[in-house]
Amino acid sequence: MRMRPILATIHLDALRHNLAIVKKIAPKSNVMAVVKANAYGHGLLRVAKGLAETDGFAVLGINEAISLREAGYKQTIMLLEGVFEADELELAAQWALSIVVHNEQQMAILENVVLSQPIEIFLKMNTGMNRLGFRPQVYATQIQRLSKLANVKNIVMMTHFAAADEDSGISEALAKFHEATQTFSYQTSVANSAALLRYPESHTDWVRPGIMLYGATPVSGQAATSFGLKPAMQLTTEIIAVQTLQAGESVGYGHTFTAKELTRVGIVACGYADGYPRHAPSGTPIAINGKVTKTLGRVSMDMLFADISDILEADVGSAVELWGAQVTVDAVAEASGTVGYELLCAVAPRVPFEVIETHG
Ligand SMILES: *Cc1c(COP(=O)(O)O)cnc(C)c1O
């Protein structure tokens, strides 16, 4: 049966290649592959297969962590927001998960239960993001509390940067972190993708790359390819109709694009209900039959429009790449006023996925 042609293809070789880049850049660090949000929209278990050589996985929900364990992954699996109640803590211990501890409530749970086996703690410091974590001034006290507990197997000292991708960088946050941790010899973990790519001093015991593993950029304005990364996801579809606009005619809702001259328009089977950004304006790059052209008019729920005036052979059935190797997800994101992260995470459940070993 022939189906609607939209498809997200996950390239395992690209995931492996990007992980190898991480290891090459930070050869002394353990790698904690961040696979939260269903592996940034790529599919948790699909991605885990491509990243099987990683030293650890970081997820948000305990259900994701358990599904990785059930699939046979033996490495460190860390819960980025830790646990939310005592029962969950015991479950985490039973599955040999590692957990972030970032607030007093989590600390109290840990102090007031008897776990069936001790658990690894990533103790989070707030070095300026002001989201999760203990302030530097009280960090040593928390370390001392943890170090007394039979429930605690070992401690990793951790922070997360607010501006690793910005001009202001990480130096202030890293200085705070060093000052508050210098008297302890526990392992540390500080780098996300942007820090990993920009600041070698962030390559401590554990690095935590997310977006770069998927081959999108963590640094706006700097292409993922400039870091040697390859896109792990290719979102493709086909042209399902062709319209020819006379000068003065418009296409799509709101008539936001009006042709100045004779314009051939490919009607593309992908819309915002597939996860394509509705904010993508006319002019957003899109590839038809391997040639980069631009979108026209307003993205609708199930369709969008591409200018095929200069792609003479384009017709119903022609191949369309929304994002992938020809048009980067970052280029679509930039045109739409967002970041590749958001677009990748937003690929809709109705889009079928396929996993392949190699590009080509
Ligand atoms: C999401 C996340 C990361 C990965 O960030 P990227 O920018 O995708 O590399 C690392 N650490 C923490 C705590 C995170 O929440």
Side-chain angles (χ1 to χ4, degrees), residues 34 36 40 80 124 131 158 160 192-194 208-211 218 341:
V34 180
K36 62 192 178 194
Y40 291 47
L80 281 161
K124 194 157 190 182
R131 198 172 63 176
M158 155 186 192
H160 189 46
N192 57 3
S193 298
R208 304 190 307 270
I211 194 75
Y341 295 75

Short mmCIF file of all heavy atoms in Angstrom, two decimals, residues 34 36 40 80 124 131 158 160 192-194 208-211 218 341, ligand 1:
data_model
loop_
_atom_site.label_atom_id
_atom_site.label_comp_id
_atom_site.label_asym_id
_atom_site.label_seq_id
_atom_site.Cartn_x
_atom_site.Cartn_y
_atom_site.Cartn_z
N VAL A 34 23.49 12.74 25.83
CA VAL A 34 22.20 13.25 26.32
C VAL A 34 21.11 12.84 25.32
O VAL A 34 21.14 13.25 24.16
CB VAL A 34 22.25 14.77 26.53
CG1 VAL A 34 20.89 15.26 27.03
CG2 VAL A 34 23.33 15.12 27.56
N LYS A 36 17.68 12.91 26.17
CA LYS A 36 16.37 13.35 26.69
C LYS A 36 15.45 13.69 25.53
O LYS A 36 15.91 13.79 24.38
CB LYS A 36 16.56 14.56 27.61
CG LYS A 36 17.14 15.79 26.90
CD LYS A 36 17.59 16.84 27.90
CE LYS A 36 18.20 18.03 27.18
NZ LYS A 36 18.93 18.92 28.13
N TYR A 40 16.11 13.84 21.44
CA TYR A 40 15.92 15.05 20.63
C TYR A 40 15.04 14.75 19.41
O TYR A 40 15.29 15.20 18.29
CB TYR A 40 17.28 15.63 20.20
CG TYR A 40 18.12 16.24 21.32
CD1 TYR A 40 18.33 15.58 22.52
CD2 TYR A 40 18.73 17.49 21.16
CE1 TYR A 40 19.11 16.13 23.53
CE2 TYR A 40 19.51 18.05 22.16
CZ TYR A 40 19.70 17.36 23.35
OH TYR A 40 20.48 17.91 24.34
N LEU A 80 18.48 13.38 34.59
CA LEU A 80 18.94 14.78 34.59
C LEU A 80 18.22 15.67 35.60
O LEU A 80 18.75 16.71 35.98
CB LEU A 80 18.76 15.38 33.19
CG LEU A 80 19.82 15.01 32.17
CD1 LEU A 80 19.31 15.27 30.76
CD2 LEU A 80 21.10 15.79 32.41
N LYS A 124 24.35 18.77 41.75
CA LYS A 124 24.35 19.90 40.81
C LYS A 124 24.57 21.23 41.50
O LYS A 124 23.93 21.53 42.51
CB LYS A 124 23.02 19.93 40.05
CG LYS A 124 23.06 20.85 38.84
CD LYS A 124 22.01 20.44 37.84
CE LYS A 124 22.17 21.19 36.53
NZ LYS A 124 21.12 20.82 35.58
N ARG A 131 18.63 27.85 37.47
CA ARG A 131 17.53 26.94 37.12
C ARG A 131 17.52 25.84 38.18
O ARG A 131 16.71 25.86 39.08
CB ARG A 131 17.76 26.42 35.70
CG ARG A 131 16.54 25.83 35.05
CD ARG A 131 16.76 25.50 33.59
NE ARG A 131 17.78 24.48 33.36
CZ ARG A 131 18.08 23.98 32.17
NH1 ARG A 131 17.46 24.43 31.09
NH2 ARG A 131 19.00 23.06 32.03
N MET A 158 28.77 18.49 39.55
CA MET A 158 28.26 18.85 38.22
C MET A 158 27.70 20.26 38.18
O MET A 158 27.15 20.74 39.16
CB MET A 158 27.17 17.84 37.89
CG MET A 158 26.14 18.28 36.91
SD MET A 158 24.84 17.05 36.76
CE MET A 158 24.04 17.70 35.30
N HIS A 160 25.85 23.14 34.97
CA HIS A 160 25.38 23.30 33.59
C HIS A 160 25.48 24.78 33.24
O HIS A 160 25.06 25.63 34.03
CB HIS A 160 23.93 22.81 33.49
CG HIS A 160 23.39 22.72 32.10
ND1 HIS A 160 24.09 22.15 31.06
CD2 HIS A 160 22.21 23.14 31.57
CE1 HIS A 160 23.35 22.21 29.95
NE2 HIS A 160 22.21 22.80 30.23
N ASN A 192 28.33 20.87 28.13
CA ASN A 192 27.34 20.51 27.12
C ASN A 192 28.03 20.61 25.75
O ASN A 192 29.25 20.82 25.68
CB ASN A 192 26.11 21.43 27.21
CG ASN A 192 26.47 22.90 27.07
OD1 ASN A 192 27.64 23.26 26.85
ND2 ASN A 192 25.49 23.77 27.23
N SER A 193 27.28 20.49 24.65
CA SER A 193 27.92 20.50 23.32
C SER A 193 28.70 21.79 23.07
O SER A 193 29.84 21.75 22.60
CB SER A 193 26.88 20.35 22.21
OG SER A 193 26.20 19.14 22.31
N ALA A 194 28.09 22.92 23.38
CA ALA A 194 28.74 24.20 23.05
C ALA A 194 30.05 24.34 23.82
O ALA A 194 31.07 24.74 23.25
CB ALA A 194 27.80 25.37 23.37
N ARG A 208 28.91 16.08 28.51
CA ARG A 208 27.48 15.75 28.31
C ARG A 208 26.97 16.33 26.99
O ARG A 208 26.13 17.23 26.98
CB ARG A 208 26.65 16.30 29.47
CG ARG A 208 27.07 15.84 30.86
CD ARG A 208 26.03 16.25 31.90
NE ARG A 208 25.72 17.68 31.85
CZ ARG A 208 26.36 18.62 32.55
NH1 ARG A 208 27.35 18.30 33.37
NH2 ARG A 208 25.99 19.87 32.43
N PRO A 209 27.44 15.84 25.86
CA PRO A 209 26.96 16.37 24.59
C PRO A 209 25.53 15.90 24.29
O PRO A 209 25.18 14.75 24.53
CB PRO A 209 27.93 15.77 23.58
CG PRO A 209 28.35 14.48 24.19
CD PRO A 209 28.42 14.75 25.68
N GLY A 210 24.73 16.81 23.76
CA GLY A 210 23.40 16.47 23.27
C GLY A 210 23.34 16.78 21.79
O GLY A 210 23.67 15.93 20.94
N ILE A 211 23.02 18.02 21.48
CA ILE A 211 22.68 18.40 20.10
C ILE A 211 23.76 18.02 19.08
O ILE A 211 23.43 17.63 17.97
CB ILE A 211 22.37 19.93 20.04
CG1 ILE A 211 21.69 20.30 18.73
CG2 ILE A 211 23.62 20.77 20.26
CD1 ILE A 211 20.25 19.90 18.63
N PRO A 218 25.19 23.65 18.20
CA PRO A 218 24.82 24.28 19.48
C PRO A 218 25.12 25.78 19.47
O PRO A 218 24.72 26.47 20.41
CB PRO A 218 25.73 23.57 20.48
CG PRO A 218 26.95 23.22 19.70
CD PRO A 218 26.51 23.00 18.27
N TYR A 341 17.33 22.44 17.82
CA TYR A 341 16.83 21.64 18.94
C TYR A 341 15.30 21.54 18.89
O TYR A 341 14.72 20.46 19.03
CB TYR A 341 17.13 22.30 20.28
CG TYR A 341 18.54 22.49 20.75
CD1 TYR A 341 19.36 23.47 20.21
CD2 TYR A 341 19.04 21.75 21.82
CE1 TYR A 341 20.64 23.69 20.71
CE2 TYR A 341 20.31 21.96 22.32
CZ TYR A 341 21.11 22.92 21.76
OH TYR A 341 22.36 23.14 22.24
C1 LIG B 1 20.28 19.04 27.66
C2 LIG B 1 21.45 19.04 28.54
C3 LIG B 1 22.74 18.83 28.03
C4 LIG B 1 23.03 18.73 26.54
O1 LIG B 1 22.96 20.02 25.97
P1 LIG B 1 23.31 20.25 24.42
O2 LIG B 1 23.26 21.72 24.26
O3 LIG B 1 22.24 19.58 23.65
O4 LIG B 1 24.64 19.64 24.21
C5 LIG B 1 23.79 18.72 28.92
N1 LIG B 1 23.58 18.85 30.25
C6 LIG B 1 22.37 19.07 30.77
C7 LIG B 1 22.21 19.22 32.24
C8 LIG B 1 21.27 19.18 29.94
O5 LIG B 1 20.06 19.41 30.47
#
